[in-house]
Amino acid sequence: MPVILWKRYGLVFAAGALCLVVNAQGIGPLWYTGVALLIIGQVMRVTLIRAQRPPLDREPVLLRLPVTGRWLALNGPATKVPSHTHSHAQTYAIDLKYVPEGRGERSAPQAPPFRWLWPLARSPRLYPTFGMPLLAPADGVVVATAGRQRDHLSRMSFPAFLFLYLEGFVRSLGWPCHLMGNHIILDLGDGAYAAFAHLRRGSLRVAPGDRVTAGQEMAECGNSGNSSEPHLHFQLMDGPDVMTARGVPFAWSYRDDDGVEHTGVPEDTTHCVPVAPLPERSA
């Protein structure tokens, strides 16, 4: 079966669920059809994810950190691999949240904390990450963009987090943009493609076909797609299609809170600040 058909497992799932929902005759032909479609859809999904497992011997690609200021690393490959899942080329993906310097100072607002019950959700504009500029990690060519999805409310409460898991599953059955939200995909050359996800609606400054240089501002952080709060989801992969590409490891030059410089990827719950940019790579 061609790969393009395996990518449509979400449609098979939806057809199976529809058969079960409209079935009013109990166990019968329509019920069996729905169950069969659900099983086929799951087999297609698992097969596609297995095909996205990357080789383990690829060296990390050296890039510049695509942000400015102090950021908190979460769900990154320095702590575990896959950091997210092999699905959608997220094997080495990382999430970053902006954390201003000077904790406790009025001039350095912090993100609203997680709440068990209330408020259920908050405006994304209350988070320091929202609207922060995102930079090209190397010279490259823009191959895909999406920028019209809304920036939804946060999911930073227990009931909202439960909703996020259900929402994420439903989004995973749709097109990649339903998970990634507003996004940019860059061709960096040498078989490496960078993806930026959950961008702010209306903030994209590039379009497909544009050439960008390392450090060029391309968009702003937002809260679109499958996102609990404003943050940057960044990943490197070996193709432009997140449904079929495989994750690629990468490394940044950064400084931690102790002033120590590193080349690699920060561990989860640690902070990173960009240091002098690496030499530019040709696209």
Side-chain angles (χ1 to χ4, degrees):
M1 184 182 296
V3 173
I4 191 172
L5 295 182
W6 291 107
K7 291 165 52 177
R8 304 299 181 248
Y9 62 82
L11 296 178
V12 179
F13 260 110
L18 180 63
C19 288
L20 295 181
V21 169
V22 301
N23 176 48
Q25 305 300 321
I27 297 179
L30 191 59
W31 185 88
Y32 283 115
T33 299
V35 171
L37 288 174
L38 290 177
I39 293 173
I40 293 171
Q42 179 63 10
V43 171
M44 293 170 65
R45 178 175 180 269
V46 171
T47 302
L48 188 61
I49 293 174
R50 288 182 63 86
Q52 290 190 279
R53 294 176 179 267
L56 301 178
D57 57 352
R58 182 157 183 174
E59 291 295 319
V61 178
L62 293 176
L63 303 172
R64 64 179 295 165
L65 225 165
V67 293
T68 60
R70 180 171 175 258
W71 293 71
L72 177 70
L74 296 169
N75 308 316
T79 300
K80 66 181 179 70
V81 175
S83 59
H84 286 59
T85 171
H86 295 300
S87 174
H88 293 81
Q90 298 179 93
T91 303
Y92 301 101
I94 191 170
D95 295 328
L96 295 175
K97 296 195 302 182
Y98 176 60
V99 181
E101 298 279 4
R103 186 181 298 275
E105 297 179 7
R106 293 183 179 180
S107 60
Q110 302 299 310
F114 180 88
R115 297 296 186 187
W116 284 104
L117 184 59
W118 193 263
L120 292 176
R122 295 182 174 92
S123 168
R125 291 172 175 78
L126 296 177
Y127 293 79
T129 306
F130 191 74
M132 286 296 293
L134 302 176
L135 315 177
D139 293 350
V141 178
V142 179
V143 296
T145 63
R148 296 183 178 180
Q149 295 189 51
R150 67 183 180 89
D151 295 286
H152 56 70
L153 298 176
S154 73
R155 308 288 189 251
M156 293 302 288
S157 69
F158 184 68
F161 231 71
L162 294 179
F163 173 77
L164 178 67
Y165 280 103
L166 175 61
E167 178 186 33
F169 174 74
V170 174
R171 287 179 180 273
S172 71
L173 301 181
W175 309 128
C177 63
H178 296 135
L179 276 176
M180 300 173 70
N182 302 319
H183 62 272
I184 295 173
I185 297 178
L186 290 177
D187 180 359
L188 305 182
D190 298 325
Y193 295 77
F196 296 71
H198 313 312
L199 310 183
R200 182 179 183 178
R201 180 165 65 175
S203 73
L204 273 64
R205 295 168 174 78
V206 295
D210 288 352
R211 287 189 172 274
V212 298
T213 57
Q216 178 179 331
E217 184 173 336
M218 302 187 302
E220 298 173 5
C221 276
N223 198 47
S224 56
N226 189 47
S227 175
S228 59
E229 64 176 287
H231 72 283
L232 167 64
H233 173 99
F234 178 86
Q235 66 188 53
L236 207 63
M237 48 196 185
D238 64 4
D241 185 351
V242 298
M243 294 289 287
T244 58
R246 297 179 296 179
V248 172
F250 58 90
W252 294 323
S253 290
Y254 67 93
R255 184 178 68 252
D256 63 25
D257 278 347
D258 295 325
V260 179
E261 294 188 4
H262 304 266
T263 298
V265 181
E267 295 184 355
D268 289 358
T269 70
T270 64
H271 297 98
C272 59
V273 177
V275 297
L278 295 162
E280 295 182 0
R281 302 170 67 249
S282 297

